[in-house]
Amino acid sequence: MLKTYAYPKYQFRLPTGAGGDTVPRYPVVVVGAGPVGMAAAIDLAQQGVPVVILDDDDTVSVGSRGVCYAKRALEVLDRLGVGDPVVDKGVSWNVGRTFFREEEVYNFNLKPNADQKRPGMINLQQYYLEEYEINRLAQFDSVELCWKNKVVGVEPQDDKVTVKVQTPDGFYTLETDWLIVADGARSPIRSMLNLDIDGKIFMDRFLIADVVMEAEFPPERWFWFDPPFHPGQSVLLHRQSDNCWRIDFQLGWQADPEEEKKPEKVIPRIKAMLGDDRPFELEWVSVYTFQCRRMTDFRHGRVFFAGDCAHQVSPFGARGANSGIQDTDNLVWKLKLVMDGKAPPSLLDTYSRERTWGADENLMNSTRSTDFITPKSKTSLTFRNATLGLARKHPFARALVNSGRLSVPCFYTDSRLNTADTDAFGGDMVPGAAMDDASIRVNGEDGWLLDHVGNQFIALVYAPQAALAGADALLSDPIGVTTIAVVPAGGKALPGMMAFEDVNGTFAKAYDATPGSVHLLRPDQHVTARWRTFDAAAIRAAVARATCNS
Amino acid sequence: MSLITTANFYQTGKRYFRDFSPNDDFYEMLIETHRDLTDEQSALVNAKLILLLANHIGDMDVLAEAMKAAREDV
Ligand SMILES: Cc1cc2nc3c(=O)[nH]c(=O)nc-3n(C[C@H](O)[C@H](O)[C@H](O)COP(=O)(O)OP(=O)(O)OC[C@H]3O[C@@H](n4cnc5c(N)ncnc54)[C@H](O)[C@@H]3O)c2cc1C
């Protein structure tokens, strides 16, 4: 098996200073070189923080695992300099179709009339994503990616964390100011620290197969309820890159995983589904069950949990790696401010507050999808099938069909970091919203809003009419704020001020911008405050609030 | 008034950022109503639910239309 991908093998190494007579001390150590740990490391490296990453393995994800990467995760990957290889290699798609028995009953388009750089979703085998992250990390001298370094002990103290590591050369101990744990669903570190993770296991099993074949199916997500080729269960089909197709078959709880994985069991299932004699090769097969659960708190003093170790969701909705990448997007700028002494440690608690809020939304949506896809009682099944039956004809029933609500970012509407609106605004770009993208022109070049913001606080001022009093002073604050104008198509900026031209009017519409209105943006591309007029003092107060400095 | 067959769920005072949310809120509430009931109990709850909602709607033309749509293809 495995014809399209050759697994790289990475060399074992020790972090600089480790393994000798003295215990080395680092500013930040990341445990786990999965998609989430590496996203954290890239972000830190971009902020100029040296990072040590420890991983017990020496290669990328075995098997395709995470397949669907959503627009918001792609935007974060863009900020991290990994978006292009991921999107270039991946299969972009926006349309999902749902079938009940033989008929299509419902379809959705993730990106209706959108003026955004990234598609609603791409499909890409997880090992490619990880490989591209590894390549990106190699561009920083300040990053030490240490394979075959297995963390076997963690001792949190008030002023540091002591970590014990096992390698092919024996054991060593290190100290770090901060520890970011991204060691996956089984999280040995969570267990070492005796921390609970609560939730439930779903009583169902799924067979996943990566199949290599030539096929002309469009790049769409196809989901079947009760299809003739797999009666009574559901099936999901996704196209990945390299002509590799991912098929998920629901098997039911009684299925024997070892038996179901055998090619003589898998191949007939795929043949029945394809319905013809098209040649194909099995690349990877696995049977999985899943859990929906999360840790109570993602921060424990100097130790942070991110990704699967902190929360796990059912795969219907692709909210696993996508939400993990959003975790690190939220954490790293806060950690950097605290490391620099520009914000109090309480800012780090808001990482947990905001991301547990996000995790709860992800858990709710993926649990609802799972309940629809695998009804738990006869009555639930009857309602499910009645919905699917009505969906052919009635739009309201189509809207109830839930074959997976695909990953979208949550709105941190209740975050203490937001400044509440005092002026009236329409639209969705409320304080706490992840920013909507828009095409813009900057210095005569076409580009995208989200490629030009992030990594710092920015005040976007729409069509400023007069010089903005106090804007210069904001820039030289300890936590500086850059003021940028957004001007309508053909409009001019004020002298000396950087301007984004809102070529299609997308910004004005999405942000409900009027001449003089201001949107204050966090380093992670979330809106944190907005006003109808520019007031440097109000901006300064909102930045203080967004960094727990007030 | 004729039978509404486009998506129509909402909760007064609640702000939705995603189109699917009100639908999913309703569906979860519906399934929760049946939690831990036997099949017979569920059938009884469903019958009562229909009677309550039918009275709330009141308009006999709308009800006739709904009944007809429900029987179709069964
Ligand atoms: C069938 C399936 C389908 C999926 N589909 C999707 C999808 O479409 N979209 C999506 O977003 N997500 C999907 N996921 C989820 C996705 O795979 C995970 O959410 C993602 O891998 C989590 O990343 P992570 O970095 O948190 O953890 P992992 O990828 O599990 O990485 C953890 C890393 O930590 C290392 N490690 C563990 N213990 C130690 C230790 N003691 N010392 C050092 N290193 C250690 C491991 O070797 C590993 O490299 C899917 C998962 C499955 C199983």
Side-chain angles (χ1 to χ4, degrees):
Chain A
M1 287 210 249
L2 274 168
K3 314 279 184 309
T4 63
Y5 187 76
Y7 283 88
K9 270 243 177 292
Y10 299 105
Q11 290 298 312
F12 155 65
R13 63 167 288 186
L14 289 175
T16 306
D21 295 336
T22 50
V23 174
R25 174 82 173 242
Y26 306 102
V28 186
V29 170
V30 176
V31 187
V36 177
M38 288 196 284
I42 297 167
D43 213 348
L44 286 160
Q46 288 191 162
Q47 316 277 335
V49 179
V51 206
V52 170
I53 314 171
L54 308 173
D55 193 279
D56 60 351
D57 202 5
D58 62 358
T59 189
V60 291
S61 162
V62 173
S64 61
R65 293 177 69 204
V67 164
C68 305
Y69 297 96
K71 183 157 66 72
R72 181 61 201 147
L74 297 174
E75 289 161 355
V76 176
L77 292 173
D78 274 336
R79 192 173 62 71
L80 301 180
V82 194
D84 284 340
V86 165
V87 175
D88 291 349
K89 181 72 186 174
V91 176
S92 296
W93 63 275
N94 286 299
V95 173
R97 295 187 191 283
T98 301
F99 304 87
F100 179 40
R101 300 188 179 133
E102 267 144 356
E103 262 179 90
E104 180 175 336
V105 288
Y106 167 69
N107 62 61
F108 61 82
N109 187 341
L110 293 169
K111 204 185 156 189
N113 54 46
D115 183 23
Q116 299 163 336
K117 179 179 180 185
R118 293 308 184 193
M121 281 279 169
I122 65 148
N123 289 347
L124 183 69
Q125 297 89 313
Q126 185 166 325
Y127 38 79
Y128 281 119
L129 167 63
E130 294 184 13
E131 202 184 311
Y132 301 147
E133 290 183 305
I134 292 165
N135 295 345
R136 175 70 177 134
L137 284 167
Q139 296 174 345
F140 298 95
D141 292 335
S142 57
V143 173
E144 302 194 74
L145 179 46
C146 304
W147 304 98
K148 290 279 173 204
N149 280 244
K150 180 179 181 167
V151 173
V152 291
V154 172
E155 196 194 325
Q157 285 132 285
D158 285 345
D159 57 340
K160 65 181 179 217
V161 185
T162 305
V163 179
K164 197 168 174 201
V165 187
Q166 184 182 21
T167 73
D169 283 357
F171 293 88
Y172 70 88
T173 300
L174 64 78
E175 291 174 354
T176 180
D177 294 349
W178 305 98
L179 186 71
I180 299 178
V181 179
D183 61 350
R186 289 195 192 92
S187 188
I189 294 179
R190 202 176 57 215
S191 317
M192 287 172 210
L193 297 179
N194 276 321
L195 297 169
D196 289 336
I197 179 162
D198 290 326
K200 56 182 173 177
I201 300 188
F202 279 86
M203 306 293 267
D204 213 328
R205 293 183 204 282
F206 292 80
L207 170 76
I208 45 177
D210 277 353
V211 173
V212 183
M213 63 180 175
E214 297 284 342
E216 62 294 344
F217 315 127
E220 297 175 342
R221 174 188 198 258
W222 285 6
F223 190 101
W224 288 265
F225 289 104
D226 192 16
F229 55 85
H230 193 52
Q233 310 276 26
S234 67
V235 177
L236 176 60
L237 174 72
H238 275 290
R239 177 183 201 142
Q240 311 177 101
S241 63
D242 304 335
N243 278 331
C244 185
W245 298 75
R246 164 75 159 271
I247 311 173
D248 291 42
F249 294 96
Q250 183 190 7
L251 296 176
W253 186 240
Q254 305 308 330
D256 173 350
E258 288 315 310
E259 197 54 33
E260 291 294 340
K261 265 192 272 192
K262 293 184 177 158
E264 59 265 35
K265 285 284 278 189
V266 179
I267 288 170
R269 288 197 192 285
I270 296 170
K271 280 201 162 137
M273 169 175 177
L274 296 174
D276 55 25
D277 288 329
R278 150 196 337 262
F280 64 85
E281 298 220 41
L282 268 186
E283 180 148 284
W284 176 67
V285 176
S286 174
V287 172
Y288 69 93
T289 55
F290 54 80
Q291 315 205 14
C292 285
R293 54 184 196 168
R294 78 155 165 93
M295 294 176 71
T296 313
D297 215 322
F298 295 177
R299 177 188 179 203
H300 290 268
R302 295 178 167 272
V303 181
F304 305 96
F305 291 83
D308 273 15
C309 62
H311 46 76
Q312 286 163 258
V313 294
S314 88
F316 303 108
R319 288 164 184 265
N322 283 304
S323 64
I325 289 168
Q326 291 169 57
D327 290 345
T328 66
D329 188 41
N330 188 287
L331 172 61
V332 170
W333 67 271
K334 295 175 179 173
L335 183 56
K336 170 73 173 151
L337 285 176
V338 173
M339 290 172 85
D340 289 349
K342 292 180 178 175
S346 57
L347 179 60
L348 302 170
D349 291 330
T350 70
Y351 161 65
S352 187
R353 285 288 297 277
E354 292 187 333
R355 291 313 299 162
T356 53
W357 167 271
D360 284 344
E361 185 176 304
N362 285 320
L363 284 162
M364 179 184 81
N365 283 314
S366 60
T367 302
R368 286 172 168 186
S369 300
T370 308
D371 284 341
F372 194 90
I373 292 165
T374 65
K376 307 274 168 306
S377 68
K378 206 174 142 205
T379 305
S380 299
L381 180 67
T382 306
F383 273 121
R384 207 275 309 269
N385 288 345
T387 304
L388 291 167
L390 287 168
R392 284 187 201 111
K393 215 169 146 185
H394 303 290
F396 88 95
R398 258 166 257 158
L400 290 172
V401 173
N402 187 344
S403 62
R405 305 294 188 206
L406 294 166
S407 175
V408 279
C410 71
F411 289 74
Y412 301 130
T413 43
D414 84 330
S415 174
R416 61 171 284 198
L417 303 185
N418 299 337
T419 297
D421 282 337
T422 42
D423 298 330
F425 276 91
D428 283 351
M429 291 295 101
V430 300
M435 292 174 66
D436 271 355
D437 202 3
S439 53
I440 55 170
R441 195 172 295 143
V442 188
N443 296 327
E445 276 190 45
D446 289 331
W448 298 96
L449 177 61
L450 291 185
D451 283 340
H452 289 271
V453 298
N455 302 318
Q456 56 168 331
F457 280 89
I458 291 177
L460 289 182
V461 187
Y462 188 74
Q465 306 297 301
L468 303 170
D472 290 347
L474 282 175
L475 186 58
S476 41
D477 277 356
I479 301 175
V481 181
T482 306
T483 306
I484 299 173
V486 181
V487 297
K492 280 232 169 6
L494 298 169
M497 199 176 170
M498 184 175 181
F500 299 158
E501 193 183 337
D502 184 20
V503 278
N504 298 328
T506 305
F507 176 87
K509 192 161 169 236
Y511 291 75
D512 186 24
T514 47
S517 67
V518 181
H519 285 79
L520 180 64
L521 314 176
R522 306 192 333 188
D524 58 0
Q525 302 178 330
H526 284 66
V527 176
T528 193
R530 55 185 180 173
W531 305 269
R532 286 289 168 204
T533 50
F534 184 91
D535 173 353
I539 293 176
R540 189 166 286 125
V543 171
R545 192 172 172 82
T547 52
C548 289
N549 278 310
S550 67
Chain B
M1 180 99 177
S2 62
L3 183 68
I4 298 170
T5 60
T6 50
N8 191 35
F9 296 108
Y10 62 89
Q11 192 175 347
T12 309
K14 182 158 175 184
R15 165 95 200 246
Y16 297 102
F17 290 101
R18 309 287 175 200
D19 292 345
F20 56 75
S21 297
N23 304 301
D24 291 0
D25 285 351
F26 159 73
Y27 201 85
E28 182 179 292
M29 198 160 86
L30 178 66
I31 300 303
E32 272 301 303
T33 305
H34 289 273
R35 193 222 270 276
D36 299 331
L37 299 184
T38 63
D39 295 343
E40 294 76 45
Q41 288 170 327
S42 274
L44 187 60
V45 167
N46 276 337
K48 289 193 202 164
L49 196 55
I50 291 166
L51 296 172
L52 288 163
L53 295 175
N55 177 63
H56 180 89
I57 293 160
D59 184 333
M60 223 63 96
D61 293 333
V62 172
L63 291 169
E65 227 185 305
M67 287 172 189
K68 186 160 164 270
R71 262 201 87 127
E72 227 167 86
D73 305 329
V74 171

